[in-house]
């Protein structure tokens, strides 16, 4: 007996190949759309440190808008575009805005607050911020209770038990009001003695902000590598005022926050690690009543 060999018609092979090509094309289009939205409209951002406490905690997830100041190489996600000068439709941030910046000479994303614009003289004396020789308004607020968990070791605060017996992190809050009336809360751990010949957070400047640049600081003043410190090792600061093209976007609001207890292999922990009360918190600065 002879065996019969089944053959697949050429038309079916061509149709199957075409189907795969269409799927690949559709996936590529989808990825391109996501990349464009991520680079030019908005993207998610993760807070990796305590430098913006008390307003932002390590483990917070936010939405960052890309268009408020125009677009530059820093706007393009995943650092795919090499550094270039200038911005498209460039606009200056407002004092008090929370922005994503790339430090001078580094391809990393930092989140800091804009406190100085071009032409300003910025200085800190004993931890207090001065702009153009005038101390900005600062008001000591009541201590604030923050979560004490795997994502907050309470550096710069003190640990105490609340009424329910749960440990919490108590921090001393100082509210600053900038010359434009924008106010926000900072953490002040007290004046730290500076070491000669080394950068110092509490006694810095005076520093003239050059044209086309902004001066940024973290709200956790004694635990922030910002414009007061050189970029790169060992200080990992921003390296002075940053050019406008180094701004990647503006922080808008918190989407959710994790306390650091989640494990990838336990889906239940994904929900139990959520911090309550943080979703939807706006990150746009408030303005004092005139």
């Amino acid at each position: 007996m002879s065996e019969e060999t089944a053959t697949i018609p050429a038309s079916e092979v061509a149709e199957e190949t075409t189907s795969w090509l269409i799927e690949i094309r559709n996936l590529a289009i989808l990825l391109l759309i996501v990349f464009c939205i991520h680079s030019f409209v908005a993207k998610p951002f993760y807070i990796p440190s305590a430098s913006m406490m008390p307003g932002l905690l390590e483990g917070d997830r936010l939405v960052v808008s890309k268009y408020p100041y125009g677009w530059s190489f820093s706007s393009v996600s995943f650092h795919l575009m090499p550094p270039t000068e200038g911005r498209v439709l460039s606009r200056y941030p407002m004092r008090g805005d929370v922005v994503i910046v790339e430090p001078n000479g580094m391809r990393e994303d930092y989140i800091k607050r804009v406190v100085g614009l071009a032409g300003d003289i910025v200085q800190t004396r004993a931890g207090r911020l001065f702009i153009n020789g005038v101390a900005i308004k600062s008001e000591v607020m009541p201590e604030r209770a923050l979560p004490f968990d795997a994502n907050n070791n309470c550096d710069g605060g003190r640990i105490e038990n609340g009424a329910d017996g749960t440990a919490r992190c108590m921090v001393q809050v100082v509210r600053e009001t900038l010359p434009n009336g924008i106010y926000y809360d900072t953490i002040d751990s007290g004046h730290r003695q500076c070491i000669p010949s080394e950068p110092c957070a509490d006694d810095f400047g005076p520093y003239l902000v050059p044209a086309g640049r902004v001066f940024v600081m973290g709200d956790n003043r004694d635990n922030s590598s910002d414009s007061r410190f050189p970029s790169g090792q060992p200080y990992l600061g921003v390296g002075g005022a940053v050019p406008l093209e180094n701004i990647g976007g503006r922080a808008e609001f918190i989407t959710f926050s994790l306390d650091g207890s989640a494990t990838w292999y336990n889906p239940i922990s994904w929900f139990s690690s959520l911090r309550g009360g943080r979703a939807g918190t706006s990150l746009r600065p408030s303005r004092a009543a005139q």
Side-chain angles (χ1 to χ4, degrees), residues 11-280:
S11 59
E12 293 186 16
V13 174
E15 183 178 343
E16 184 175 347
T17 301
T18 301
S19 177
W20 273 106
L21 291 175
I22 291 174
E23 291 298 326
I24 293 173
R25 182 201 64 185
N26 291 342
L27 178 60
I29 292 174
L30 177 61
L31 291 175
L32 180 61
I33 292 173
V34 171
F35 176 76
C36 289
I37 293 174
H38 204 270
S39 296
F40 304 114
V41 182
K43 76 167 186 176
F45 189 82
Y46 165 73
I47 300 298
S49 73
S51 71
M52 287 297 290
M53 286 172 51
L56 285 170
L57 305 178
E58 182 176 349
D60 284 349
R61 268 67 172 180
L62 354 162
V63 168
V64 173
S65 59
K66 292 298 191 78
Y67 50 84
Y69 316 123
W71 296 271
S72 71
F73 74 91
S74 294
S75 307
V76 179
S77 295
F78 314 114
H79 305 296
L80 293 181
M81 183 175 177
T84 54
E85 293 185 0
R87 294 185 76 90
V88 177
L89 301 178
S90 179
R91 293 180 294 277
Y92 259 92
M94 181 175 65
R95 283 194 184 92
D97 281 355
V98 178
V99 298
I100 307 300
V101 298
E102 289 191 20
N104 289 306
M106 297 173 61
R107 299 308 310 271
E108 294 185 36
D109 290 330
Y110 283 22
I111 183 165
K112 303 295 175 186
R113 189 180 299 277
V114 176
V115 298
L117 304 179
D120 285 342
I121 298 175
V122 179
Q123 185 176 15
T124 57
R125 302 178 198 165
R128 192 168 183 187
L129 176 61
F130 288 71
I131 297 179
N132 298 323
V134 179
I136 69 169
K137 180 182 176 182
S138 63
E139 179 184 3
V140 177
M141 308 294 287
E143 279 191 315
R144 182 173 303 174
L146 300 176
F148 174 62
D149 50 40
N151 272 340
N152 181 17
N153 63 7
C154 204
D155 184 22
R158 61 182 181 84
I159 302 168
E160 72 167 27
N161 290 328
D164 60 356
T166 302
R168 56 187 186 173
C169 176
M170 305 300 297
V171 295
Q172 181 59 66
V173 173
V174 176
R175 177 163 294 176
E176 294 184 344
T177 302
L178 294 171
N180 60 354
I182 293 298
Y183 67 87
Y184 49 87
D185 291 337
T186 68
I187 292 179
D188 183 11
S189 303
H191 181 227
R192 298 185 180 183
Q193 190 65 38
C194 295
I195 300 175
S197 77
E198 289 195 8
C200 181
D202 279 353
D203 293 291
F204 168 87
Y207 177 93
L208 174 63
V209 182
R213 296 183 177 235
V214 294
F215 194 94
V216 297
M217 295 175 69
D219 292 345
N220 191 353
R221 290 295 164 76
D222 294 316
N223 190 18
S224 174
S225 298
D226 46 43
S227 287
R228 295 170 292 177
F229 295 92
S231 60
Q233 295 291 344
Y235 300 105
L236 298 176
V238 173
V242 293
L244 292 181
E245 54 261 33
N246 285 38
I247 300 176
R250 183 179 68 194
E252 300 292 348
F253 60 89
I254 297 172
T255 53
F256 63 96
S257 183
L258 299 176
D259 63 14
S261 64
T263 54
W264 66 268
Y265 53 82
N266 182 3
I268 295 177
S269 70
W270 303 348
F271 299 96
S272 63
S273 67
L274 287 170
R275 291 178 176 134
R278 296 195 63 76

